[in-house]
Amino acid sequence: MRKPVIAGNWKMYKLIGDAVSTVMALKPLVANANHCEVVVAPPFTAIKAVADRLEGSNIKVSAQDVAPEPKQGPHTGEISGDMLIDAGATRVIVGHSERRAMYFETDEVVNRKVRAALSFNLTPIFCIGETLEERDAGREEKVVAAQLAGGLAGLTANDLTRIIAAYEPVWAIGTGRTATPEQAQRMHAFVRQWISQHFDRSTAEGLRILYGGSVKPENISDLMREADIDGALVGGASLDAESFAKIVNYDR
Ligand code: PGA
C-alpha cells in the first residue's frame, strides 16, 4: 500500500529563527504520526538549521527547488542537489506552479530538475496542475498530460518509484477555493491512468499522488478518503505548527 505523505511547503516565508521554532513546536505534535510521512520544506536559508533540529525525528526535510544541473559548476544563484543533501534535505519540490508561472519554468527545465534530483538521490515532489482558464476550457486533462509527458520524459519505471507526484490545480492554490474531493479524485485517477499507460500498471499503483491547493485541517479528511489521493502538499496552513499538525493527524 502507498504510505501517505503530508508535506508543508513554506514558500518564501520564515527567517531561520521562526523556521526553527516552528519545527520545535511541530515535533511533539506529530511524534506519533506513523500513518504517514511528514515533510517540511523551508526556504533554502533555513534548511540546515531545521534539519539539524529534526535529526532522529519522524519529520523529513525538503527543499523547494533545485538546480537543473547534475553537478556543481558556474551557475550563479543556483543550488545543486548535493548542496541540498549536505544541508539535510532528502526531498525537493520541482515544477511548482509558482515557479512555472513567475520564473518561466518550462516542462523541459522541470524535466532536467527531476533528473538532477534523482541523480543526487533526492526524492522529487513533482508538481503538475492546470490553471482556471484551462479548466474552464475543459482542457485540464490535456494540460496535465502534457506536463507529465514533458516532466517525466526519458525516465524509467524504476525512476518513477523514486518520485512523488503532486496534483495542484492552480486555481486552488492560496485562494481558499479547494478542489472538491470528487474533482481532485478524478484528476488523480487520470494521472495514475496516464502513468499506467506510459510506464506500467504496478508503477502507477505504487506512485504516491499528493493533492495541493488550500488544504486545511477542515478539508483534509474528506480529501484523504478518496482512493487515489495519497497525501497533501500544504502551503498556507503549514506555516503554523498546530494547524499543520492537525492536517498530519487527520481523521482516519
Ligand atoms: P496553499 O498552497 O495550501 O496555500 O493553497 C499549496 C501549494 O502551493 O503547494
Side-chain angles (χ1 to χ4, degrees):
M1 271 319 282
R2 301 183 291 267
K3 186 162 191 180
V5 179
I6 305 288
N9 172 13
W10 290 353
K11 308 193 178 186
M12 198 175 75
Y13 293 103
K14 294 190 187 290
L15 304 182
I16 296 170
D18 184 17
V20 166
S21 48
T22 303
V23 290
M24 293 312 282
L26 182 64
K27 247 201 305 197
L29 299 176
V30 302
N32 297 322
N34 302 315
H35 60 283
C36 68
E37 283 178 21
V38 186
V39 179
V40 291
F44 287 132
T45 47
I47 289 176
K48 167 89 176 122
V50 162
D52 284 351
R53 293 335 186 274
L54 292 179
E55 224 178 288
S57 82
N58 61 336
I59 308 174
K60 305 208 162 67
V61 180
S62 175
Q64 299 173 18
D65 193 18
V66 64
E69 320 301 333
K71 56 179 174 41
Q72 295 180 17
H75 305 285
T76 304
E78 291 292 318
I79 307 282
S80 62
D82 55 347
M83 291 171 183
L84 297 178
I85 301 256
D86 186 43
T90 54
R91 335 212 137 192
V92 59
I93 297 168
V94 175
H96 190 278
S97 63
E98 286 156 11
R99 298 214 57 82
R100 291 176 187 262
M102 290 182 237
Y103 303 99
F104 312 108
E105 275 189 19
T106 60
D107 289 325
E108 195 253 326
V109 170
V110 172
N111 180 245
R112 287 173 57 214
K113 291 186 173 187
V114 169
R115 288 157 178 267
L118 288 173
S119 77
F120 290 111
N121 257 328
L122 274 170
T123 302
I125 303 175
F126 165 61
C127 302
I128 49 183
E130 81 286 355
T131 63
L132 185 56
E133 198 184 15
E134 290 160 345
R135 172 160 284 257
D136 286 346
R139 295 179 51 230
E140 64 273 21
E141 291 187 355
K142 265 211 169 76
V143 168
V144 166
Q147 291 171 337
L148 288 166
L152 302 178
L155 300 193
T156 63
N158 183 50
D159 291 333
L160 264 279
T161 65
R162 300 159 59 211
I163 285 181
I164 297 169
Y167 168 66
E168 299 204 298
V170 177
W171 46 273
I173 295 179
T175 58
R177 179 181 163 188
T178 330
T180 63
E182 297 73 28
Q183 281 174 322
Q185 164 58 26
R186 217 172 133 250
M187 289 303 288
H188 282 229
F190 172 76
V191 171
R192 204 176 300 289
Q193 174 69 17
W194 190 96
I195 298 291
S196 180
Q197 276 163 3
H198 292 79
F199 292 87
D200 58 67
R201 175 123 189 254
S202 74
T203 303
E205 288 301 320
L207 179 69
R208 289 175 297 177
I209 309 172
L210 317 186
Y211 167 79
S214 299
V215 173
K216 302 178 268 260
E218 298 75 43
N219 58 27
I220 182 69
S221 299
D222 286 342
L223 288 161
M224 291 305 292
R225 267 182 216 112
E226 298 292 338
D228 290 291
I229 299 183
D230 308 312
L233 184 53
V234 187
S238 74
L239 294 170
D240 173 73
E242 278 184 21
S243 140
F244 187 54
K246 280 186 193 147
I247 295 174
V248 168
N249 298 316
Y250 60 89
D251 271 335
R252 300 184 296 286

